[in-house]
Amino acid sequence: MDGGQGALALGEAVARAANEPSHFKFLYPLEMSIKEKIETVCREIYGADGVDYSELAEEKVKLYTKLGFDKLPLCMAKTI
């Protein structure tokens, strides 16, 4: 409603929070394979007992591993 001025308090709160100590850690070691990371997130966050991969997903995992992206953290969202 107030444009940039309306976000000032939010920005200040985010800046204060960013300066606080953090105990952040990833759910998995970054050295895990892409599939191991996916399965860890699915099991630990979503309560899954396993993961099925489509043919396209298998191809993408291979491609991303070949490109060296396998050591990066994953960002996942569950959809229904």
Side-chain angles (χ1 to χ4, degrees):
M1 174 167 115
D2 297 321
Q5 186 65 32
L8 190 57
L10 173 61
E12 290 169 347
V14 170
R16 279 192 308 276
N19 288 319
E20 292 293 318
S22 171
H23 302 288
F24 173 82
K25 67 177 188 164
F26 287 104
L27 184 61
Y28 47 75
L30 294 180
E31 296 76 27
M32 278 185 161
S33 71
I34 291 173
K35 282 186 164 184
E36 289 173 317
K37 290 175 189 172
I38 291 170
E39 291 160 10
T40 299
V41 170
C42 291
R43 186 178 57 253
E44 299 296 324
I45 303 299
Y46 299 121
D49 61 1
V51 177
D52 295 322
Y53 298 90
S54 68
E55 191 174 314
L56 177 59
E58 292 279 2
E59 291 172 15
K60 294 292 185 179
V61 167
K62 287 179 188 171
L63 173 63
Y64 297 151
T65 300
K66 181 180 176 183
L67 293 172
F69 298 150
D70 56 318
K71 302 307 178 213
L72 297 174
L74 295 177
C75 179
M76 291 178 51
K78 179 181 174 185
T79 60
I80 299 175

PDB file of all heavy atoms in Angstrom, residues 3 7 10 12 17 26 28 31 35 65 73-74:
ATOM      1  N   GLY A   3       4.074   1.361  -1.041  1.00  0.00           N
ATOM      2  CA  GLY A   3       5.241   1.190  -1.905  1.00  0.00           C
ATOM      3  C   GLY A   3       6.444   0.706  -1.116  1.00  0.00           C
ATOM      4  O   GLY A   3       6.317  -0.086  -0.187  1.00  0.00           O
ATOM      5  N   ALA A   7       7.622  -1.585   2.973  1.00  0.00           N
ATOM      6  CA  ALA A   7       8.488  -2.737   3.211  1.00  0.00           C
ATOM      7  C   ALA A   7       9.656  -2.403   4.132  1.00  0.00           C
ATOM      8  O   ALA A   7      10.465  -3.283   4.444  1.00  0.00           O
ATOM      9  CB  ALA A   7       9.014  -3.255   1.875  1.00  0.00           C
ATOM     10  N   LEU A  10       9.812  -4.512   7.363  1.00  0.00           N
ATOM     11  CA  LEU A  10      10.169  -5.891   7.027  1.00  0.00           C
ATOM     12  C   LEU A  10      11.657  -5.987   6.717  1.00  0.00           C
ATOM     13  O   LEU A  10      12.350  -6.884   7.221  1.00  0.00           O
ATOM     14  CB  LEU A  10       9.358  -6.387   5.836  1.00  0.00           C
ATOM     15  CG  LEU A  10       9.755  -7.766   5.293  1.00  0.00           C
ATOM     16  CD1 LEU A  10       9.582  -8.844   6.356  1.00  0.00           C
ATOM     17  CD2 LEU A  10       8.962  -8.085   4.045  1.00  0.00           C
ATOM     18  N   GLU A  12      14.080  -4.071   7.723  1.00  0.00           N
ATOM     19  CA  GLU A  12      14.846  -3.895   8.956  1.00  0.00           C
ATOM     20  C   GLU A  12      14.821  -5.155   9.808  1.00  0.00           C
ATOM     21  O   GLU A  12      15.834  -5.555  10.386  1.00  0.00           O
ATOM     22  CB  GLU A  12      14.313  -2.696   9.735  1.00  0.00           C
ATOM     23  CG  GLU A  12      14.617  -1.376   9.047  1.00  0.00           C
ATOM     24  CD  GLU A  12      13.883  -0.194   9.661  1.00  0.00           C
ATOM     25  OE1 GLU A  12      12.944  -0.405  10.475  1.00  0.00           O
ATOM     26  OE2 GLU A  12      14.242   0.950   9.323  1.00  0.00           O
ATOM     27  N   ALA A  17      17.624 -10.051  11.794  1.00  0.00           N
ATOM     28  CA  ALA A  17      17.663 -11.522  11.873  1.00  0.00           C
ATOM     29  C   ALA A  17      18.911 -12.077  11.204  1.00  0.00           C
ATOM     30  O   ALA A  17      19.505 -13.044  11.680  1.00  0.00           O
ATOM     31  CB  ALA A  17      16.409 -12.114  11.232  1.00  0.00           C
ATOM     32  N   PHE A  26      22.685 -28.367   6.641  1.00  0.00           N
ATOM     33  CA  PHE A  26      21.907 -29.073   5.635  1.00  0.00           C
ATOM     34  C   PHE A  26      21.386 -30.388   6.212  1.00  0.00           C
ATOM     35  O   PHE A  26      21.981 -30.957   7.134  1.00  0.00           O
ATOM     36  CB  PHE A  26      22.753 -29.357   4.388  1.00  0.00           C
ATOM     37  CG  PHE A  26      23.008 -28.134   3.555  1.00  0.00           C
ATOM     38  CD1 PHE A  26      24.238 -27.510   3.574  1.00  0.00           C
ATOM     39  CD2 PHE A  26      22.009 -27.608   2.752  1.00  0.00           C
ATOM     40  CE1 PHE A  26      24.469 -26.379   2.817  1.00  0.00           C
ATOM     41  CE2 PHE A  26      22.230 -26.482   1.988  1.00  0.00           C
ATOM     42  CZ  PHE A  26      23.464 -25.860   2.021  1.00  0.00           C
ATOM     43  N   TYR A  28      21.484 -33.104   4.711  1.00  0.00           N
ATOM     44  CA  TYR A  28      22.322 -34.166   4.157  1.00  0.00           C
ATOM     45  C   TYR A  28      23.695 -33.593   3.817  1.00  0.00           C
ATOM     46  O   TYR A  28      23.839 -32.391   3.606  1.00  0.00           O
ATOM     47  CB  TYR A  28      21.680 -34.717   2.877  1.00  0.00           C
ATOM     48  CG  TYR A  28      21.223 -33.606   1.961  1.00  0.00           C
ATOM     49  CD1 TYR A  28      22.130 -32.869   1.210  1.00  0.00           C
ATOM     50  CD2 TYR A  28      19.886 -33.236   1.898  1.00  0.00           C
ATOM     51  CE1 TYR A  28      21.727 -31.819   0.413  1.00  0.00           C
ATOM     52  CE2 TYR A  28      19.474 -32.192   1.097  1.00  0.00           C
ATOM     53  CZ  TYR A  28      20.396 -31.492   0.359  1.00  0.00           C
ATOM     54  OH  TYR A  28      19.988 -30.439  -0.426  1.00  0.00           O
ATOM     55  N   GLU A  31      28.072 -34.013  -0.338  1.00  0.00           N
ATOM     56  CA  GLU A  31      28.760 -35.014  -1.137  1.00  0.00           C
ATOM     57  C   GLU A  31      27.836 -36.138  -1.589  1.00  0.00           C
ATOM     58  O   GLU A  31      28.206 -36.946  -2.438  1.00  0.00           O
ATOM     59  CB  GLU A  31      29.933 -35.620  -0.359  1.00  0.00           C
ATOM     60  CG  GLU A  31      31.031 -34.642  -0.023  1.00  0.00           C
ATOM     61  CD  GLU A  31      30.673 -33.699   1.125  1.00  0.00           C
ATOM     62  OE1 GLU A  31      29.850 -34.084   1.991  1.00  0.00           O
ATOM     63  OE2 GLU A  31      31.194 -32.583   1.143  1.00  0.00           O
ATOM     64  N   LYS A  35      20.283 -38.447  -6.153  1.00  0.00           N
ATOM     65  CA  LYS A  35      19.220 -39.362  -5.718  1.00  0.00           C
ATOM     66  C   LYS A  35      19.218 -39.543  -4.205  1.00  0.00           C
ATOM     67  O   LYS A  35      18.148 -39.597  -3.592  1.00  0.00           O
ATOM     68  CB  LYS A  35      19.347 -40.711  -6.420  1.00  0.00           C
ATOM     69  CG  LYS A  35      18.848 -40.705  -7.836  1.00  0.00           C
ATOM     70  CD  LYS A  35      18.886 -42.128  -8.379  1.00  0.00           C
ATOM     71  CE  LYS A  35      18.063 -42.253  -9.619  1.00  0.00           C
ATOM     72  NZ  LYS A  35      18.020 -43.641 -10.080  1.00  0.00           N
ATOM     73  N   THR A  65      24.359 -34.587 -12.920  1.00  0.00           N
ATOM     74  CA  THR A  65      25.563 -35.167 -12.330  1.00  0.00           C
ATOM     75  C   THR A  65      26.745 -34.951 -13.262  1.00  0.00           C
ATOM     76  O   THR A  65      27.825 -34.527 -12.828  1.00  0.00           O
ATOM     77  CB  THR A  65      25.351 -36.661 -12.034  1.00  0.00           C
ATOM     78  OG1 THR A  65      24.261 -36.792 -11.110  1.00  0.00           O
ATOM     79  CG2 THR A  65      26.601 -37.291 -11.444  1.00  0.00           C
ATOM     80  N   PRO A  73      23.333 -28.104  -3.090  1.00  0.00           N
ATOM     81  CA  PRO A  73      22.122 -28.413  -2.329  1.00  0.00           C
ATOM     82  C   PRO A  73      20.895 -28.430  -3.251  1.00  0.00           C
ATOM     83  O   PRO A  73      20.895 -27.793  -4.310  1.00  0.00           O
ATOM     84  CB  PRO A  73      22.025 -27.268  -1.326  1.00  0.00           C
ATOM     85  CG  PRO A  73      22.928 -26.191  -1.804  1.00  0.00           C
ATOM     86  CD  PRO A  73      23.916 -26.814  -2.741  1.00  0.00           C
ATOM     87  N   LEU A  74      19.876 -29.165  -2.841  1.00  0.00           N
ATOM     88  CA  LEU A  74      18.644 -29.256  -3.614  1.00  0.00           C
ATOM     89  C   LEU A  74      17.562 -28.370  -3.010  1.00  0.00           C
ATOM     90  O   LEU A  74      17.517 -28.188  -1.797  1.00  0.00           O
ATOM     91  CB  LEU A  74      18.112 -30.692  -3.614  1.00  0.00           C
ATOM     92  CG  LEU A  74      18.946 -31.751  -4.293  1.00  0.00           C
ATOM     93  CD1 LEU A  74      18.287 -33.098  -4.126  1.00  0.00           C
ATOM     94  CD2 LEU A  74      19.123 -31.444  -5.763  1.00  0.00           C
TER      95      LEU A  74
END
